Structure formats: structure tokens, C-alpha cells
Amino acid sequence: MSASKVVMRIVRICLSTLLVVLIIYVLIRSGVYAYDMGYRLFTEEPVSSEENGQNVALQITEDMSARDIGKILEERNLVRDGNLFAMQLTLSAYKDKLVPGVYTLNSSMTAEEMMQVMSQTEEEKE
């Protein structure tokens, strides 16, 4: 066996090992991200830990998507991640039940509590 063949074989082994390590790293990182997102999806805490929190008024219109609502909630500091709220809304029982209107939400409310408030009609509020 010539020296060049030995060197090429060593290089191939190194590259193969590097590729396997890279694939394992990507799989582990993807798994950690997926677990973290899934955990937050079902256990996200309110933005404010204070009982009173901060009241914020916002208007929901008929043409708003879950992502639009999440973005507004994030801008108004009612949720930490608007995209996460959009996923929570899409997977919840409130998916197609949000009613357009003006709502006063509080930073101490969970995402589910906000969805519950935004899904109530005027008759249910009274």
C-alpha cells in the first residue's frame, strides 16, 4: 500500500467521523428545541408574576390571524412570544372561537385565560 492511499483512507475516515458527529449534534439540538417548544406550549407562565399585573386594552378584528393576534400581544407585553401564542391558539379549543371586539387583558393572565376572554360574546360577558 502506498503512502498516498493510506493518507486518503485516513482523511476519508476523519471526514466520515466528522459527518456522523455533525449529524448527531444537529439531531440533539433539534430534539432539545422541540422539547423546549413543546414544554412552553403547554406550561407558559404569565408575563407578570404579580397578581395585579398591568391592564392593556386591545382590539381584535375579524380579519386578524392567530399570528397577528400573537404579534399584537407580544408588542403590548402580554405574552413573551407571539408565535408561541399563535401555536397555542391553533392547538386550543378556542381556535375558531375568538370574537372581534375591544378587550382589556392583564399581563398576569395566562395565554389560555386571554383566549377565554377573547372568545366571550357580549351576552356571556354580562
Side-chain angles (χ1 to χ4, degrees):
M1 221 181 204
S2 70
S4 64
K5 285 185 178 182
V6 171
V7 170
M8 288 304 292
R9 187 175 190 122
I10 291 173
V11 168
R12 257 188 266 135
I13 290 171
C14 289
L15 288 176
S16 297
T17 304
L18 183 63
L19 182 63
V20 168
V21 168
L22 182 64
I23 290 171
I24 290 171
Y25 175 78
V26 168
L27 288 173
I28 289 172
R29 292 291 296 182
S30 298
V32 168
Y33 177 78
Y35 175 81
D36 181 53
M37 184 59 74
Y39 183 80
R40 288 183 56 211
L41 194 61
F42 297 105
T43 62
E44 187 73 4
E45 295 291 322
V47 171
S48 176
S49 59
E50 304 168 9
E51 273 190 46
N52 298 335
Q54 178 183 3
N55 285 335
V56 178
L58 67 123
Q59 182 174 5
I60 303 298
T61 59
E62 272 190 51
D63 62 332
M64 290 179 131
S65 67
R67 189 170 291 238
D68 295 335
I69 296 169
K71 183 177 177 185
I72 289 172
L73 293 174
E74 184 177 357
E75 288 170 356
R76 305 254 173 108
N77 294 319
L78 291 168
V79 296
R80 288 181 188 84
D81 186 348
N83 292 327
L84 180 67
F85 178 85
M87 284 191 289
Q88 288 172 323
L89 178 58
T90 302
L91 296 173
S92 76
Y94 301 104
K95 179 181 179 185
D96 296 320
K97 297 181 180 175
L98 296 190
V99 178
V102 177
Y103 299 97
T104 302
L105 302 175
N106 193 293
S107 61
S108 66
M109 297 172 96
T110 64
E112 187 172 357
E113 291 169 335
M114 290 181 206
M115 290 178 222
Q116 184 178 16
V117 168
M118 292 186 287
S119 67
Q120 293 177 347
T121 61
E122 289 298 320
E123 296 83 38
E124 292 173 332
K125 290 180 190 176
E126 296 172 0

